[in-house]
């Protein structure tokens, strides 16, 4: 077998196929590892038990944003004089769902498989398990078995799955997880969303825009608890204005399905009925059936790694993406994949790693200091780096600077009644930014400028010379700097 052959994995395990690198999981993260190791000249095999392209392509990023884009565009249009009267009435549900299906390639992975072939990675279909150091056994769909061995590295990029609560009879209810919420073919008349994180608020936004009566049940005090508090507050206000019933401090204690109707009871004594119930209550690593026990690791656990993404205590095993629990975001996993690929290639060539350079080619430093994220609700929320609370807990002497987007001419031109807020967290000792948060329409396109400022550790004095064009929403940077100067 050549390193460019695409195979389903022949039956039997007589003679192992040997590669420089074996990757478990062909989602965006695994694909990026394979791309980098192949670019370095290393033969690479990749194993996938579902669709090549992974969660993001078929059940997360792509379908969810396809559902959300019409909702956001219509909301923006409602705020533009001379246009709002043209977008009254409901969205074309059939067209929205059809476009969502198009963006997921109708849940077929031919295009992704073709891409893997183009970079010269060998694809094996089936479920992979470790069988000792540098050894992987693949059980193919046809019942065959193939053994793969790795000269240099095995990379685990199997992702995560939705975590459901331990409620009696929940399986019989057939609740939605993020997968069902992004792939449903009909609009539920009534939808209960359990959770207050990104999946919860995005899916509440999407299905409400398509006509569902949505109730959001949040166990904590507010939405988006990992972001600055004002982000969750502003999004909660907007959801309520759109007709979503947001209830905080509320937990589901029991759920059943009676004659097709979901009945949920809460610890506040409420009885709620709906057509579907979505649990967006966290993620668990897909490591429970990977043979981790054969290499001294605990099955079902998150995997601890160093900044080159190598599993602690190993000199050949890497864990990239969700499984290492550093940052459960597709773009961050792809970043880790690029770092891991560079580290694997360097070690294979006997080249010393630049471990002393925290922003070097072999260290995923951004996982700690500069993780960007966009929440595609109306308004959008975007953040990078540390929140004020996180910076203070880390021991930094910081100051938060807040401005309202109403002070920015470009925001008012973008939309009537533009509402939003920006915050930068300034390290007072080093005069650099530790974090930035924006909330408002279209702020997702602002966050990369903030990411560059945080990653580059650009001094505040130098930021004065980054002149924002007038009249754009980016002028919020000038307002932040003016507020900091006082």
């Amino acid at each position: 077998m050549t390193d460019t052959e695409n195979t389903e994995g022949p039956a039997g395990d007589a003679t192992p196929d040997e590669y420089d690198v074996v990757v478990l999981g062909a989602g965006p993260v695994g694909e990026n590892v394979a791309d980098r190791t192949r670019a370095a000249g290393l033969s690479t095999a990749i194993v996938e038990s579902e669709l090549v392209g992974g969660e993001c392509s078929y059940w997360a990023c792509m379908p969810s944003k396809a559902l959300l884009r019409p909702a956001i565009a219509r909301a923006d249009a409602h705020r533009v004089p001379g246009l709002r009267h043209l977008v009254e009435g409901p969205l074309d549900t059939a067209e929205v769902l059809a476009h969502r299906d198009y963006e997921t390639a109708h849940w077929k992975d031919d295009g992704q498989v073709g891409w893997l072939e183009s970079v010269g990675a060998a694809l094996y279909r089936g479920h992979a398990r470790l069988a000792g150091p540098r050894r992987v056994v693949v059980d193919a769909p046809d019942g065959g078995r193939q053994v793969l061995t790795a000269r240099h590295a095995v990379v685990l990029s199997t992702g995560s799955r939705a975590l459901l609560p331990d409620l009696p009879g929940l399986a019989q209810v057939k609740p939605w997880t993020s997968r069902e919420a992004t792939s449903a073919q009909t609009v539920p008349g009534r939808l209960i969303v359990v959770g207050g994180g990104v999946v919860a608020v995005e899916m509440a936004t999407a299905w409400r825009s398509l006509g569902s009566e949505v109730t959001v049940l949040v166990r904590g005090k507010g939405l988006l608890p990992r972001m600055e508090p004002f982000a969750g507050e502003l999004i909660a206000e907007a959801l309520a204005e759109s007709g979503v019933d947001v209830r905080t401090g509320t937990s589901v204690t029991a759920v059943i399905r009676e004659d097709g109707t979901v009945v949920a009871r809460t610890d506040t004594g409420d009885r709620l009925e709906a057509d579907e119930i979505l649990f967006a209550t966290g993620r668990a690593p897909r490591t429970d059936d990977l043979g981790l026990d054969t290499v001294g690791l605990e099955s079902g656990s998150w995997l601890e790694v160093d900044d080159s993404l190598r599993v602690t205590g190993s000199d050949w095993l890497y864990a990239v993406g969700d499984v290492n629990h550093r940052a459960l975001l597709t773009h961050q996993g792809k970043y880790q994949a690029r770092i891991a690929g560079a580290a694997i290639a360097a070690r294979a060539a006997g080249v010393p790693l630049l471990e002393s350079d925290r922003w070097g080619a072999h260290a995923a430093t951004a996982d700690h200091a500069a993780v960007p994220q966009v929440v595609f609700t109306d308004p959008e929320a975007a953040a990078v780096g540390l929140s004020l609370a996180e910076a203070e807990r880390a021991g930094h002497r910081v100051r938060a600077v807040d401005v309202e987007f109403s002070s920015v001419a470009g925001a008012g031109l973008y939309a009537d009644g533009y509402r939003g807020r920006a915050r930068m967290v300034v390290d007072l000792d080093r005069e650099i930014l530790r974090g930035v948060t924006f909330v408002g329409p279209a702020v997702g396109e602002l966050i990369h400028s903030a990411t560059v400022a945080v990653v580059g550790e650009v001094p505040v004095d130098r930021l004065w010379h980054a002149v924002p064009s007038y009249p754009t929403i980016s002028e919020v940077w000038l307002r932040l700097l003016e507020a900091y100067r006082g």
Side-chain angles (χ1 to χ4, degrees), residues 47-59:
V47 188
E48 177 55 54
S49 62
E50 295 187 293
L51 294 175
V52 175
E55 198 81 11
C56 176
S57 299
Y58 307 104
W59 300 288

Side-chain angles (χ1 to χ4, degrees), residues 224-287:
L224 301 177
R226 296 182 181 275
M227 301 184 85
E228 297 284 10
F230 67 82
E233 292 165 3
L234 289 172
I235 289 173
E237 290 175 9
L239 284 173
E241 289 174 5
S242 74
V244 175
D245 182 3
V246 180
R247 306 185 188 188
T248 58
T250 303
S251 295
V252 175
T253 57
V255 59
I256 60 173
R257 192 180 284 272
E258 297 177 340
D259 299 324
T261 298
V262 174
V263 179
R265 296 188 182 277
T266 72
D267 58 354
T268 57
D270 293 326
R271 180 183 187 277
L272 304 174
E273 293 187 357
D275 299 288
E276 301 292 348
I277 185 168
L278 162 63
F279 281 91
T281 49
R283 307 289 295 180
R286 297 181 66 177
T287 59

Side-chain angles (χ1 to χ4, degrees), residues 89-409:
L91 294 172
D92 186 329
T93 298
E95 191 170 355
V96 172
L97 296 182
H99 180 66
R100 184 273 316 273
D101 294 352
Y102 169 80
E103 291 294 341
T104 62
H106 299 274
W107 291 276
K108 296 179 181 178
D109 63 3
D110 300 18
Q112 302 270 10
V113 171
W115 180 85
L116 277 179
E117 292 175 341
S118 75
V119 301
L123 170 64
Y124 288 79
R125 300 276 194 181
H127 183 74
R129 296 177 185 83
L130 295 172
R134 296 184 174 85
R135 185 177 176 90
V136 175
V137 175
V138 182
D139 290 320
D142 64 4
R145 173 167 289 185
Q146 181 66 45
V147 177
L148 310 176
T149 60
R151 299 182 189 94
H152 297 295
V154 174
V155 183
L156 304 179
S157 59
T158 50
S160 63
R161 57 177 173 80
L163 182 64
L164 290 170
D166 185 16
L167 289 174
L170 185 59
Q172 287 70 44
V173 173
K174 296 182 179 179
W176 279 9
T177 66
S178 52
R179 283 197 169 195
E180 290 77 19
T182 56
S183 63
Q185 294 297 319
T186 58
V187 178
R190 299 164 298 174
L191 174 66
I192 296 172
V193 178
V194 183
V198 177
V199 172
V201 296
E202 287 191 346
M203 290 299 93
T205 300
W207 290 109
R208 177 59 190 150
S209 74
L210 290 171
S212 292
E213 295 180 11
V214 179
T215 301
V216 177
L217 305 179
V218 188
R219 182 174 59 184
K221 296 180 180 179
L223 303 176
L224 301 177
R226 296 182 181 275
M227 301 184 85
E228 297 284 10
F230 67 82
E233 292 165 3
L234 289 172
I235 289 173
E237 290 175 9
L239 284 173
E241 289 174 5
S242 74
V244 175
D245 182 3
V246 180
R247 306 185 188 188
T248 58
T250 303
S251 295
V252 175
T253 57
V255 59
I256 60 173
R257 192 180 284 272
E258 297 177 340
D259 299 324
T261 298
V262 174
V263 179
R265 296 188 182 277
T266 72
D267 58 354
T268 57
D270 293 326
R271 180 183 187 277
L272 304 174
E273 293 187 357
D275 299 288
E276 301 292 348
I277 185 168
L278 162 63
F279 281 91
T281 49
R283 307 289 295 180
R286 297 181 66 177
T287 59
D288 52 331
D289 192 18
L290 288 184
L292 293 181
D293 57 308
T294 69
V295 293
L297 297 171
E298 181 182 352
S299 293
S301 64
W302 301 103
L303 297 172
E304 183 180 338
V305 297
D306 62 20
D307 273 353
S308 71
L309 289 311
R310 191 165 60 176
V311 174
T312 302
S314 173
D315 64 357
W316 59 273
L317 185 63
Y318 293 73
V320 182
D322 283 11
V323 291
N324 62 40
H325 208 233
R326 286 162 68 107
L328 277 66
L329 296 161
T330 296
H331 50 270
Q332 208 67 22
K334 291 164 71 174
Y335 159 74
Q336 293 174 11
R338 296 189 291 271
I339 299 296
I344 291 168
R347 287 176 172 135
V351 176
L353 265 62
L354 304 174
E355 296 183 270
S356 60
D357 183 357
R358 62 189 291 263
W359 290 110
H362 307 131
T365 303
D367 285 348
H368 312 297
V371 175
Q373 182 175 20
V374 179
V375 184
F376 292 86
T377 46
D378 176 39
E380 291 179 347
V384 63
L386 305 179
S387 67
L388 174 62
E390 288 170 336
E392 290 174 340
R393 284 196 297 269
H396 301 298
R397 193 171 68 90
V398 292
R399 174 187 164 197
V401 180
D402 293 357
V403 299
E404 298 295 322
F405 272 98
S406 57
S407 66
V408 178

Side-chain angles (χ1 to χ4, degrees), residues 414-429:
Y414 185 87
D416 268 1
Y418 188 110
R419 286 186 296 171
R421 187 178 306 169
R423 167 175 287 183
M424 66 179 188
V425 178
V426 183
D427 186 314
L428 296 175
D429 295 316

